[in-house]
């Protein structure tokens, strides 16, 4: 029997996307996690600012933290403005944390954030993936496959 497709998350407004992650990693499993933010961080994200290009997640003391994500200071913030690159705690169920911790420790996998978005209820969420790094020859294969798909669609449009 075929493996059931994972349910897509209800993404209303995508703030930041890590497009390089799908090129650099084999994505195994995707999780939706809440993120602990301060008020000025939420306002900054609502304006569409933020980057997760160089960020990653790690397990520390039965908690998962998003490291090196950049949420710039809010322009109208005062002295209570936040630090742009501070570690942010991710909110997941204990079973999901245990699964991620086991995969990272035993199987040598990495926790990679794919996107930050606001869901239908207006909550900031992080799409987090368990991934395994690609080697150089795997990346070349991905490029070759992508170019062939582009060529295929071009040929179909011409002779369609």
């Amino acid at each position: 029997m075929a493996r059931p497709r994972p349910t897509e998350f209800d993404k209303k407004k995508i703030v930041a996307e890590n497009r390089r992650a799908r090129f650099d990693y084999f994505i195994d499993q995707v999780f939706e996690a809440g993120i602990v933010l301060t008020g000025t961080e939420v306002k900054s994200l609502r304006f569409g600012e933020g980057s997760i290009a160089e960020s990653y997640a790690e397990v520390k003391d039965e908690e998962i933290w998003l490291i090196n994500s950049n949420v710039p200071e809010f322009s109208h913030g005062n002295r209570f403005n936040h630090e742009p690159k501070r570690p942010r705690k991710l909110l997941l169920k204990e079973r999901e944390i245990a699964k991620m911790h086991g995969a990272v420790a035993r199987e040598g996998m990495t926790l990679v954030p794919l996107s930050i978005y606001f869901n239908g209820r207006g909550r900031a969420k992080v799409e987090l993936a368990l991934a395994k790094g690609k080697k150089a020859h795997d990346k070349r294969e991905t490029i070759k496959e992508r170019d062939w798909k582009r060529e295929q669609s071009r040929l179909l449009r011409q002779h369609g």
Side-chain angles (χ1 to χ4, degrees):
M1 189 163 144
R3 179 188 252 178
R5 304 242 338 131
T7 57
E8 281 294 316
F9 304 122
D10 182 27
K11 296 182 182 183
K12 293 295 181 194
K13 179 184 177 191
I14 296 178
V15 177
E17 198 168 14
N18 189 355
R19 297 181 62 196
R20 186 96 180 139
R22 295 194 189 276
F23 178 73
D24 289 337
Y25 298 96
F26 290 116
I27 305 298
D28 184 36
Q29 209 169 7
V30 180
F31 299 92
E32 181 182 46
I35 183 169
V36 177
L37 298 171
T38 62
T40 54
E41 287 175 323
V42 174
K43 289 181 179 185
S44 189
L45 285 175
R46 287 206 188 277
F47 276 109
E49 299 172 356
S51 168
I52 55 171
E54 308 92 30
S55 65
Y56 61 96
E58 65 180 23
V59 182
K60 284 186 198 168
D61 304 326
E62 305 297 319
E63 294 178 338
I64 297 195
W65 293 85
L66 184 64
I67 310 294
N68 208 21
S69 62
N70 185 24
V71 178
E73 289 187 342
F74 183 55
S75 59
H76 301 305
N78 54 11
R79 65 177 186 228
F80 300 114
N81 226 334
H82 64 277
E83 186 182 324
K85 286 207 172 201
R86 74 174 183 88
R88 293 168 178 89
K89 185 178 174 181
L90 298 181
L91 306 171
L92 289 153
K93 295 184 177 173
E94 279 186 44
R95 185 178 296 145
E96 292 174 331
I97 293 173
K99 183 184 277 189
M100 289 180 191
H101 181 64
V104 169
R106 282 190 297 279
E107 301 168 27
M109 298 186 98
T110 310
L111 290 171
V112 180
L114 298 177
S115 64
I116 294 180
Y117 59 93
F118 287 98
N119 68 359
R121 295 178 57 194
R123 306 266 195 246
K125 300 286 184 179
V126 176
E127 191 176 27
L128 194 64
L130 263 174
K132 197 162 194 83
K134 285 184 181 179
K135 305 274 191 257
H137 59 87
D138 295 326
K139 291 179 184 180
R140 284 194 298 271
E141 192 66 35
T142 303
I143 292 171
K144 205 181 302 181
E145 190 175 310
R146 185 177 56 208
D147 289 346
W148 169 239
K149 285 199 186 299
R150 189 179 299 134
E151 183 70 20
Q152 257 183 333
S153 64
R154 189 183 63 77
L155 288 171
L156 284 173
R157 264 186 277 128
Q158 282 181 351
H159 301 293

